[in-house]
Each structure stands twice: as structure tokens, then as C-alpha cells.
Amino acid sequence: MPGDTVLGETRPSSPSAPGWRGIWLCADAAWRLGPRPVMLFAWHRLRLVAGLAHRALPDRPAPRGPFLPEAAALPITPHDWHGAFDGQAHALDVLARPGADIRGLWEAHRLAPLLKLAQAVTRDPSGDHLNQAEALLADWAAANPPFRGPGWACAQEAALRAMGICIALALLGADRRLSPGARDLLALHAERIRATRAYGAAQDNNHPISEAAGLFVCGLLLGRARDQRDGARGLARAVARLVSPCGAFAQASPAYHRLMLDVLAIAEWFRRRHGAPSFAAPFAARAAAATQWLGRVMAPNGALPRIGPCDDSAFADLSGFGAGDARASLERASRLFLGASAGLPNDPGCRALGLAAGPSLPSILPSHWRSAGWFGRSGAGGARGVLRTGVPLRFRPGQADLLHFDLWDGNENLLRDGGSGAYLPPPGFDWWQRMLAGGLGHNLITFDDAEPMPRLGPFLFGRWPRCRAIPDGAKTRDWRGNRHARRVECRGRLWRVEDQVRGDFRRLALRWRLSPGDWRRIPDGVESAKARITLSADAPFSLELIRGWESPAYGRVEPAPVLELRANRPIGRIYTEIALPKMGGC
């Protein structure tokens, strides 16, 4: 939804376009989003203006420890929990500040070290890990009074933090006998989640899933039937709406798909542990399909395509694999939702949760597959391609990436997306968003050096293209009438992409973003030890290997090679061939 504050919860954004054009673009975006999210966001704004949301989060006493069983008090080592933000501002008044990206701060507020300390207690009961965990919670509670400061600013972050605390309690065997301090702490988190549920539901992304799961888990541990019931019902409804029967997620991002799956897995694990009723259909079927979807796009080393928004979350990372390796996430979800192992029979995270491995899943990928918003192919030697089709385009695109194509050769992301940079870039680096989230950041065609969609906010575009499926690919028609059809074929180790264009454009540019390496120009393309890429077309074109930019990790942007083709009308077809190195059996 439109909103350029930290949350989008407190102030509406101004469209990038001035005057009536900006108003028209906002109206166009609202029409495309549909009545449900627009009405939910309007209800949230009305509650803010009327003061109802603020009154739902009144000042309360800070919870006091002990939070963990049999923990001794330790001197608190203060952390910087507020960064550039006002630690005393009401949670709903915490605004974005120029150059202050809250993403890293929220990562600290998720209290990931708490899980490591809880696991260390079981490995080394004689150590001081339990007391360190208690000191961490005590410091956080003292520095973040209820509903004040950035730690309480986002209901989803409160939900993720609450689930992390609940996991730590469960690992310590204390989730069925909460201390008064732990009970007070979780009750405050449930209260925060409830206060702005309309905003979360309006997002049609990971927010409603995380918030419902957090409320459910808090309700389980607190013994509150209402929170448990409302959380379970909200979670089942959110999954039914946002996860397609094929397993694709409304938020077109493999990274956020992983986060969604992690949240579902933790909610399901707590449900089983506490003997709660099963989540309503189609939760189980959709969670199983979402697990299989992640397995299709994940590299053997656990890397995921950096398509769509990507903030490098690694929620409930009990295996310690980090943001760049999703294998443990897939393993945990596979054991819970598929009753099988995804290739990590000795995963430490699953062992900590007491999840048995079960039989191994088949490792053979289908030669081609299609899901909501995506089309995939697999080739010889572990190569695979993923095309962002947008078919059907029911939910807002997070980046201008429709018809982007990612190509992997095993663990090598040969043709790649630019990533995200940062949601609020550092001062002087506003070009990150334009370069990475806009048309320049993807492997696609842009017409007349214009953006495929006008930007209305960090996560909202207007005038979405029309998207249609075609054999072996997809096609789009943008708001200017330009048409682009992309087909992807694979024969062994040879991949071919055909781009067909029509429209009243004057010129176009096709970009292939390459993995870093020693790429050499050849007359009709580039080559390296990784691949030979050649291009041809039905009209004259120029070809150049230029310096672009990519974000290999959140908050970091580095130079990257880009092969750029430029041509004028009447060009109609462009052919790209990617010859991968030959290997045994191909």
C-alpha cells in the first residue's frame, strides 16, 4: 500500500509524479490492488486519525525478569536498540529518517542470539549461556518499554520476535510453565499484533501470515483461547489467499517465500507440540506445495535467486546456515509438511526440534514447470532457469521485473537479478532503488529508456503490465502499448531465449546481467569459462559489455558486468543463446 514511512502505517506517501498525474496513478494503483486491501488500509488510516490505534497501545509497565527458568541475574551490557530513531516515540509515530534504514535495527530486535544461547544450554548445561540469555532479554525489555520506540513499531517484527522467544522457551523446556516475566512479555507482543491487524492484512504479503502466526503461538503459550483461535483462523485464511495451490506466494520473491515457509513451519511445530487442532484447509496442502516450490528454485548449496525484494532474513535459523543458505529451511518444512527429508538427514536445527528425517524426497526436477507468476525449466548438468511471468498478476509486483529470466548452472547464478540494495539507501545513494528495483536491475527489455512501471513508493508501482502465458514463456503489454513476448528453450546444455517485440517505441535495450568473472567480448556476444553467450536479431543492433551494479547482500552494492544490446525500430525479434560448458553425461 502507499506509504513511505518505516511501516507505511503512519503517513501516506506522495506519488513521484506531480499534480493530477500523481493522483491518477494512485487511483490506478488502488484499482489494480482491489477493494479488499484498499478498504483495509483505509480502515487502518481511519483508526490512526481517530486515535483508536494509539489507544489500543497505551503505556504499560515494562516486564521484569526472570524470563527464563532458573536463570541468575547478570549485569546487563547495554545494546544500542534504537539507532537513529527515537526510543521514546509512540510505536505508531516512529517515522523514517533520511539515511536511516531500520532493517538492520529490526534484525537485532528479532533476538536471534537468544536461540543460539538456548541451544548452547542443552549442549553445555554447566556454562553461563542461560544467564547470558536472561541478560539479553532483560536488557531488551528495559530499553524498549511497551509500545515505545522502533522495537514496537511493526506488528510483524513483534510477531517474529515473539515466536523467537517462544522457540527459546521451548528449547529450554519452559514453554508450558511460563515465568511471570515471560508471560507479561508475550502478552505485550500479542497486544501489539492485535492493534494494527488491518494494516497487516492490507499488505497481501508476509505481514498477515507472520502476524497471525505470532498471535497463535503467543495464545498457545499463554493459554489464551481467543488469541489461539483468532491466530489460527487468520493464519489459515492468509495462507488460503496468498499461497496458490501450486505453492507460489503472493510476494514474488524467493527470499520472502523462504521467510513465509519458516513462519508456517514454526507455527505448525508449536501446534503439534501443544496438541492444538489442525489449521483449517487448505493450510496443509498449500504449505506442502510451497515447500516443493522452494525446492525447485533453490540451488544445491542453498542459494536462492535474488528476484524481487530481498532483505536477507533468516528466521528461526536453528541450524546456523544464515541468510545465504536455505537448505535448513527447506529441510524443516519438508519434514513437517511432506513427511520426508530434503537431503539434510543430520540437520542440527531439526534435531533441536525433535523432527525425524523420514524418507528422502526425489531429487529430480521436472523438465519444465509453471506456477502462479513463474515458469521454470531444467537442463542437463544441474542447469535450471526461472522466468518471472506475472501470470496471473493478482498481487502488486515488488519490483519492475516482469519477464526477468534467471539462469543457474549448478550453484552458479549465471544470468542474475540485481537484488535489492536497501529499502532506504544511505544518503547520496538513492540511485540504488532506481538501478536495482527498476528496469535496469533485471534481465529484460526496456523501451525508449523508460521504466516499465511508474514508481509510487518503495514497494508500489502503478500501471502494471498485462501478462499472458504462452508456450515456453510469457508475454506482456505495458501501459504505452509496447508488447514483449519471451520464450525459453533448453536442449541439453544449450539454452535459447527468444524475445519478440512490437509497439510504437523508437528504440529498445536488452540487458543480460552476468555473474562476476572474466568475460571477454566476441563479435556477437561474450564468453568466459562459465558460458558462451551470443545474440542475433532481425535488425541491426549494437552490443556492449558495460559496468552495472548488483546487491549480493542486503545493504551492499557492488559493480557487476552487464551485456547490453541496443537497437532501433523496426527490430522485432532477438535471439540469445547461452552455451554452457560441456560435462560428462550431457
Side-chain angles (χ1 to χ4, degrees):
M1 300 302 297
D4 283 347
T5 62
V6 169
L7 307 178
E9 289 193 3
T10 52
R11 302 288 187 273
S13 65
S14 299
S16 56
W20 285 104
R21 181 170 178 265
I23 295 174
W24 169 254
L25 288 176
C26 285
D28 171 80
W31 176 76
R32 295 175 189 276
L33 289 167
R36 181 182 181 275
V38 171
M39 293 302 294
L40 284 168
F41 187 75
W43 173 245
H44 168 73
R45 292 289 304 151
L46 181 62
R47 294 184 74 247
L48 283 175
V49 172
L52 298 176
H54 286 74
R55 285 200 289 272
L57 296 173
D59 289 336
R60 298 201 184 281
R64 301 179 61 183
F67 300 101
L68 305 175
E70 302 175 3
L74 280 180
I76 295 177
T77 303
H79 294 73
D80 179 11
W81 296 108
H82 305 140
F85 299 88
D86 185 356
Q88 295 302 313
H90 190 277
L92 300 181
D93 295 327
V94 175
L95 300 179
R97 300 183 59 180
D101 188 358
I102 202 171
R103 173 65 188 93
L105 193 63
W106 272 344
E107 186 66 36
H109 280 268
R110 292 182 185 181
L111 303 179
L114 188 64
L115 297 183
K116 297 179 181 179
L117 291 169
Q119 289 178 281
V121 172
T122 61
R123 293 193 300 266
D124 181 18
S126 62
D128 207 26
H129 312 294
L130 181 63
N131 298 335
Q132 293 179 40
E134 176 71 21
L136 178 62
L137 281 175
D139 180 42
W140 188 90
N144 296 277
F147 316 135
R148 292 280 168 178
W152 294 102
C154 176
Q156 175 179 230
E157 292 301 320
L160 295 175
R161 180 171 58 249
M163 284 189 284
I165 294 171
C166 290
I167 296 170
L169 290 168
L171 294 176
L172 296 171
D175 55 327
R176 294 186 177 91
R177 49 184 180 92
L178 300 182
S179 67
R183 179 172 292 277
D184 291 344
L185 187 60
L186 293 182
L188 289 168
H189 281 77
E191 193 173 356
R192 174 63 188 93
I193 295 168
R194 280 191 172 278
T196 53
R197 293 190 71 189
Y199 171 81
Q203 301 310 298
D204 274 342
N205 57 14
N206 55 325
H207 276 252
I209 288 179
S210 300
E211 292 170 24
L215 186 63
F216 169 75
V217 173
C218 287
L220 278 180
L221 271 63
L222 292 169
R224 292 183 175 180
R226 181 193 173 202
D227 286 346
Q228 180 182 333
R229 180 187 64 250
D230 290 354
R233 184 181 301 163
L235 182 58
R237 289 177 176 173
V239 168
R241 175 175 173 80
L242 302 175
V243 181
S244 299
C246 61
F249 185 34
Q251 196 168 9
S253 159
Y256 276 115
H257 188 109
R258 175 194 181 183
L259 175 61
M260 174 270 296
L261 198 58
D262 284 336
V263 168
L264 297 188
I266 293 304
E268 174 67 11
W269 182 76
F270 271 107
R271 183 198 68 77
R272 297 184 188 185
R273 179 176 173 85
H274 285 258
S278 299
F279 296 116
F283 177 91
R286 301 288 172 89
T291 303
Q292 294 171 325
W293 190 96
L294 188 70
R296 292 192 195 107
V297 303
M298 188 185 77
N301 66 354
L304 295 172
R306 299 188 71 82
I307 304 174
C310 179
D311 69 359
D312 291 334
S313 289
F315 173 66
D317 184 19
L318 296 170
S319 303
F321 282 18
D325 188 343
R327 288 178 298 166
S329 295
L330 181 63
E331 180 69 25
R332 180 169 54 198
S334 296
R335 295 191 191 190
L336 282 164
F337 301 127
L338 300 176
S341 170
L344 288 181
N346 298 317
D347 176 54
C350 289
R351 184 168 58 248
L353 298 177
L355 295 174
S360 297
L361 289 171
S363 58
I364 299 177
L365 290 174
S367 60
H368 65 276
W369 56 270
R370 191 181 291 274
S371 67
W374 306 86
F375 173 74
R377 278 198 174 281
S378 59
R384 69 193 188 286
V386 180
L387 178 67
R388 169 84 169 101
T389 66
V391 183
L393 197 57
R394 291 181 55 214
F395 302 97
R396 55 178 167 148
Q399 294 189 354
D401 59 2
L402 294 166
L403 295 191
H404 166 83
F405 178 63
D406 241 48
L407 180 61
W408 293 68
D409 189 11
N411 293 323
E412 181 70 48
N413 190 185
L414 187 65
L415 303 179
R416 55 176 62 190
D417 193 89
S420 292
Y423 298 152
L424 289 176
F429 291 86
D430 291 343
W431 58 269
W432 282 11
Q433 289 190 333
R434 181 182 70 257
M435 182 65 66
L436 299 174
L440 296 176
H442 316 289
N443 296 325
L444 46 79
I445 287 176
T446 56
F447 297 96
D448 295 322
D449 296 320
E451 285 293 335
M453 297 178 283
R455 179 187 291 277
L456 300 179
F459 311 108
L460 182 63
F461 294 88
R463 292 182 169 175
W464 307 350
R466 295 180 182 178
C467 304
R468 297 287 186 273
I470 58 176
D472 300 324
K475 63 180 180 179
T476 63
R477 180 181 185 275
D478 68 17
W479 65 277
R480 298 179 181 90
N482 297 315
R483 302 172 186 267
H484 179 196
R486 172 164 281 181
R487 292 176 172 86
V488 179
E489 299 177 357
C490 173
R491 295 181 181 178
R493 299 282 287 169
L494 180 65
W495 290 73
R496 178 171 173 153
V497 180
E498 177 187 345
D499 290 302
Q500 183 177 356
V501 296
R502 286 190 297 155
D504 193 26
F505 61 89
R506 297 186 302 276
R507 57 187 179 274
L508 61 74
L510 165 64
R511 297 175 183 87
W512 291 116
R513 306 177 56 85
L514 311 174
S515 63
D518 184 20
W519 293 97
R520 301 175 296 279
R521 278 284 282 115
I522 56 178
D524 54 352
V526 292
E527 66 178 1
S528 75
K530 300 176 180 180
R532 179 184 176 91
I533 303 174
T534 56
L535 290 90
S536 60
D538 61 356
F541 62 87
S542 64
L543 203 58
E544 189 175 0
L545 184 60
I546 65 174
R547 186 181 75 164
W549 300 91
E550 70 174 6
S551 176
Y554 187 84
R556 198 169 87 231
V557 173
E558 300 174 351
V562 177
L563 181 60
E564 183 180 79
L565 175 150
R566 287 189 172 270
N568 299 324
R569 289 182 64 189
I571 192 166
R573 279 186 169 86
I574 305 172
Y575 303 94
T576 304
E577 286 194 351
I578 306 102
L580 303 178
K582 295 182 179 180
M583 55 178 54
C586 298

